[in-house]
Amino acid sequence: MRRDRGMVTAELATIAPFAVAFAFLLLWVISLGLTQIRIADASREAARMIARGEAVQDAEEIARSHAPAGARVSVDTESGAVTVTVTARSRMPLPFFANVGSQELDSASVAAVESP
């Protein structure tokens, strides 16, 4: 019975690094999802604005305000449709791990140009 003493501590020490790695994995997946949602909203809003006849510069500004910092916005207004593509790099919300697992994500939205 004496030999079992400290067994839980050894098991916890073995499992703890996996729990931390799993927590980082969850945080990374959540940050990817949130970044994708933000850039999808930004591209959709900009495409709608341009399709309604608002200025391209205003729509790009709105898209950049909705998207994460450093996002790039491109607009194509050919053939009666507006295509807005927003590209941004996902980052984890931890200062020391901001670039760990960083992925470049993009979202494109298309809207038909409305007649005045």
Side-chain angles (χ1 to χ4, degrees), residues 42-115:
S43 66
R44 185 191 69 235
E45 186 64 29
R48 279 182 171 170
M49 287 178 68
I50 296 169
R52 287 190 307 240
E54 297 186 35
V56 172
Q57 293 81 10
D58 293 341
E60 286 178 345
E61 185 178 315
I62 291 294
R64 283 190 187 92
S65 71
H66 285 297
R72 295 183 310 277
V73 178
S74 65
V75 177
D76 181 22
T77 57
E78 293 181 13
S79 70
V82 176
T83 303
V84 177
T85 304
V86 178
T87 305
R89 188 162 279 288
S90 69
R91 303 208 187 286
M92 285 186 44
L94 300 173
F96 297 114
F97 299 102
N99 292 324
V100 173
S102 180
Q103 297 287 319
E104 190 162 289
L105 303 172
D106 63 356
S107 175
S109 295
V110 179
V113 175
E114 297 177 9
S115 300

Side-chain angles (χ1 to χ4, degrees), residues 7-19:
M7 190 70 154
V8 172
T9 305
E11 291 171 352
L12 184 62
T14 304
I15 292 176
F18 294 108

